[in-house]
Amino acid sequence: MQLQGISGIIGKISRFRPGQQPQRGIVPDKNTGTAAFSLYDPELEPPLVTATAPDYYFEIERYWVDPGRAIVIIARDTRTNQIEYLLYEPALSETEYELLERIHADLRNILVLGEEDLHKDRTTMIVSKLVLLLDEYGIHPGPASLHRLHYFLIRNFIGWGRIDPLMKDPYLEDISCDGTGVPLYLYHRKYRNVRTNIAFSAEILNSLAISLAQRSGKHISTGSPMIDATLPDGSRLQLTLGTEVTTRGTSFTIRKFREEPFSPVELIEYGTFNSEMLVYFWLAIENNKSLIFIGGTASGKTTSLNAVSLFIPPGAKVVSIEDTREITLFHENWIASVTRGAVGEGTGEIDMFDLLRSAMRQRPEYILVGEVRGHEAQTLFQAMNTGHTTFSTMHAGSVDAAIHRLESEPLNVPRNMVQALNIVSVQALVYRGTERIRRAQEIVEIAGIDPSTGNLRVNTVFEYDPVLDRFTYTGRSGVYAQIAEQRGWSREVMEKETAVRKQLLEAMHQQGIRDYVRVSKIFEAYYIDPARVLAGIGDLDRVLS
């Protein structure tokens, strides 16, 4: 059936009659005769979108981000020799577009939740309202047309609008909009910084910005044109509205995070650490050594912090403190706290210092601070000096730079308090050929203050060789010596313990046990009954069952 113009289709009633043969996609309800909806199945039906890169592009790769409905082509622009990210969604005819606009407007009027709707899936509810409106209009489009309408309604009402496919792409780390009419730029895990074929007009961009702010639980306006927030999926959002602060118009940056954090086993697979280094962290954390991850932007500091936090013993009380929620633990005895901005006229703000001070009264065994950057650093190091085990991250390029920053404004941590820190892991985003990879440059121990010079003494435990892309243990560790002394272990016992834990990590790696929940369960089982875990090391899935 050919769709008519919108003026001709509204008000025209046409219902299915019992016994009438429907097209696929439209199914009449046997009781009412009203049209019902059959969801799109990409395995049974042809794709709703076909995509071909323009003539002056050389296609490198293509993949679906929404099977059958949204596809990405990675292609090189032969004119500029730059790699670009080309996103394609279903194309609407002029009449379909008019119909979608009318449905979109009418849905806003009828999307009033009744008591029975509160328990419905949101997609199911949108579908039922769509069917109701089409039945009211007397329009029963073909299956492909109907599925295209459904895609855009779900995308716009439940998803993230035009950037919804980008939010679904697991290869993207950052989505950056620099202003009105400027193409979006992305950081792709495989192709790094890439330009897209997506740009927004001022009106659409402002509408998207307000929507992003609202869904983050924040308010943005010309009076308060800049916010930092966390999106419902955990991604970090930085947003500016209009031209008050950014002269090219509204801008935003979304830093995406995986729904599931990296586990230590995955960091072995990616080469960030080797198994020997992770055993070192494991024993250090189990024996209450404080550590900090330092590095530049996107060097993997928070990823590493989250991964090694899975070594925390089960049952230990943990408090995490962050500006935006990034840390995820498979740990029951865990208080996850985040800062809050001012509620009214400069009142009601709760910053990291307030949360850290409150955490000290909660008797935690481990305190995790997302990043130290202000006066909360003094309280963090006071916590270390009073026996609390703390983990954190900080922007610094080297151990010397980190110590200098800690002792300077605005952190102002006295040198005699810095020596309570046990371990510093230096992270970096480095090149390996043409590929950018995350590596731990070195793991360094703070060995106290030299009484003759007053300088901090440090001991490098692990070093990274960029030529061979491998890590080397120096053979010296004050942390290992302290653990052996505290636990009454001989050198042979210490070496046996490290070898057993290394064997367990490598067994998980070989058997494909990498997701953080299963990895955490094995660590938990090892803490409770190491003999049982080691007895089943050949088939760790049986240990989990």
Side-chain angles (χ1 to χ4, degrees):
M1 171 179 176
Q2 182 67 37
L3 293 176
Q4 304 173 41
I6 195 67
S7 58
I9 61 177
I10 301 302
K12 183 177 179 181
I13 305 298
S14 171
R15 295 179 183 271
F16 279 113
R17 296 180 178 85
Q20 182 179 348
Q21 278 297 111
Q23 304 176 66
R24 177 171 173 80
I26 300 283
V27 180
D29 186 279
K30 62 182 178 181
N31 296 318
T32 64
T34 303
F37 185 68
S38 173
L39 291 175
Y40 172 71
D41 187 342
E43 294 185 2
L44 300 177
E45 299 175 74
L48 300 179
V49 56
T50 55
T52 304
D55 292 338
Y56 45 85
Y57 282 87
F58 172 76
E59 182 175 327
I60 299 171
E61 182 185 358
R62 65 170 60 202
Y63 58 88
W64 293 101
V65 289
D66 188 345
R69 292 176 285 199
I71 192 169
V72 169
I73 294 179
I74 305 293
R76 185 182 300 277
D77 187 335
T78 56
R79 300 167 301 178
T80 63
N81 207 35
Q82 296 294 311
I83 293 176
E84 296 192 14
Y85 181 102
L86 308 176
L87 174 67
Y88 295 92
E89 296 178 283
L92 293 174
S93 67
E94 184 179 346
T95 308
E96 286 172 335
Y97 182 78
E98 290 177 354
L99 180 57
L100 179 65
E101 289 286 294
R102 180 56 186 260
I103 292 170
H104 198 277
D106 287 349
L107 269 178
R108 291 184 179 277
N109 297 328
I110 66 171
L111 271 180
V112 179
L113 293 180
E115 191 171 336
E116 70 282 358
D117 292 323
L118 294 175
H119 307 291
K120 283 184 180 179
D121 175 71
R122 291 187 301 169
T123 302
T124 304
M125 192 174 62
I126 293 287
V127 165
S128 65
K129 302 296 185 185
L130 167 62
V131 170
L132 180 68
L133 282 175
L134 287 175
D135 191 63
E136 201 172 287
Y137 300 158
I139 297 297
H140 300 301
S145 180
L146 189 64
H147 291 318
R148 285 192 288 269
L149 295 172
H150 172 244
Y151 169 80
F152 284 105
L153 288 172
I154 296 299
R155 188 198 77 169
N156 295 337
F157 274 101
I158 298 176
W160 302 95
R162 183 72 171 106
I163 65 170
D164 190 56
L166 306 182
M167 297 295 286
K168 292 177 179 177
D169 189 340
Y171 294 105
L172 300 185
E173 291 188 11
D174 290 277
I175 302 170
S176 179
C177 175
D178 301 327
T180 302
V182 182
L184 266 64
Y185 277 80
L186 312 171
Y187 189 87
H188 195 282
R189 295 184 194 277
K190 188 174 179 181
Y191 299 101
R192 302 194 297 277
N193 294 299
V194 290
R195 185 178 187 261
T196 72
N197 59 341
I198 304 169
F200 297 106
S201 65
E203 182 181 355
I204 293 174
L205 184 54
N206 289 340
S207 176
L208 175 61
I210 292 169
S211 174
L212 288 170
Q214 289 174 343
R215 292 178 68 171
S216 304
K218 297 290 184 79
H219 170 74
I220 194 166
S221 64
T222 53
S224 180
M226 189 178 341
I227 64 165
D228 290 296
T230 303
L231 295 171
D233 68 346
S235 299
R236 182 186 292 175
L237 170 69
Q238 198 287 325
L239 177 64
T240 60
L241 181 66
T243 56
E244 302 291 324
V245 179
T246 46
T247 56
R248 299 173 83 186
T250 296
S251 68
F252 64 81
T253 300
I254 297 173
R255 187 175 178 188
K256 292 177 61 186
F257 293 100
R258 300 199 334 170
E259 291 183 12
E260 293 190 353
F262 284 96
S263 70
V265 178
E266 287 179 293
L267 294 189
I268 294 174
E269 292 178 350
Y270 285 105
T272 305
F273 301 101
N274 65 15
S275 56
E276 199 172 359
M277 298 161 82
L278 289 170
V279 168
Y280 174 80
F281 283 126
W282 189 351
L283 280 165
I285 289 167
E286 182 181 309
N287 290 276
N288 300 104
K289 304 302 180 186
S290 294
L291 57 96
I292 190 166
F293 291 91
I294 67 172
T297 301
S299 59
K301 302 183 297 295
T302 304
T303 297
S304 298
L305 170 66
N306 206 127
V308 303
S309 297
L310 300 186
F311 293 129
I312 293 174
K317 184 165 185 179
V318 182
V319 177
S320 63
I321 298 165
E322 301 174 271
D323 277 330
T324 53
R325 174 75 183 279
E326 297 178 49
I327 294 170
T328 303
L329 301 178
F330 186 72
H331 201 90
E332 283 189 337
N333 195 10
W334 166 43
I335 297 172
S337 55
V338 292
T339 59
R340 187 186 74 178
V343 177
E345 293 291 327
T347 61
E349 181 179 3
I350 299 173
D351 61 14
M352 293 185 77
F353 176 75
D354 297 322
L355 291 174
L356 189 53
R357 187 173 55 185
S358 173
M360 296 285 286
R361 303 190 188 105
Q362 295 166 350
R363 201 172 173 271
E365 294 172 70
Y366 294 85
I367 300 174
L368 279 57
V369 179
E371 182 183 347
V372 287
R373 61 170 74 91
H375 63 301
E376 73 277 356
Q378 293 182 31
T379 307
L380 180 71
F381 277 84
Q382 283 175 356
M384 287 186 202
N385 280 268
T386 54
H388 293 84
T389 306
T390 65
F391 311 153
S392 188
T393 69
M394 187 173 72
H395 281 273
S398 66
V399 176
D400 288 341
I403 292 170
H404 178 71
R405 189 173 172 216
L406 284 169
E407 294 179 336
S408 306
E409 289 282 354
L411 280 69
N412 292 323
V413 179
R415 179 165 295 187
N416 64 339
M417 290 177 67
V418 174
Q419 66 178 329
L421 176 64
N422 302 110
I423 302 166
V424 179
S425 178
V426 184
Q427 312 281 122
L429 185 63
V430 299
Y431 277 100
R432 180 76 179 160
T434 59
E435 183 184 5
R436 293 186 80 182
I437 54 176
R438 292 180 173 90
R439 292 289 185 268
Q441 298 283 70
E442 59 179 349
I443 296 177
V444 177
E445 295 173 348
I446 306 296
I449 296 178
D450 189 324
S452 59
T453 63
N455 294 328
L456 283 168
R457 291 182 296 154
V458 297
N459 171 45
T460 301
V461 186
F462 291 94
E463 294 176 313
Y464 173 64
D465 183 344
V467 176
L468 300 175
D469 190 30
R470 71 181 183 189
F471 303 99
T472 305
Y473 174 51
T474 62
R476 305 180 306 275
S477 171
V479 167
Y480 274 166
Q482 291 170 18
I483 293 170
E485 183 180 352
Q486 290 166 5
R487 302 186 71 158
W489 290 349
S490 65
R491 180 173 181 176
E492 291 73 21
V493 172
M494 188 71 183
E495 288 177 352
K496 181 181 178 182
E497 187 64 32
T498 56
V500 162
R501 297 186 187 217
K502 180 180 177 182
Q503 182 186 6
L504 180 58
L505 282 169
E506 290 177 350
M508 284 191 276
H509 180 206
Q510 291 162 6
Q511 295 172 35
I513 298 174
R514 59 177 60 87
D515 67 279
Y516 85 110
V517 173
R518 295 168 75 208
V519 169
S520 296
K521 286 182 176 179
I522 288 177
F523 291 151
E524 185 175 329
Y526 184 83
Y527 277 114
I528 295 168
D529 189 354
R532 184 177 73 89
V533 175
L534 294 176
I537 199 168
D539 186 2
L540 289 169
D541 280 319
R542 294 185 64 182
V543 175
L544 293 172
S545 60

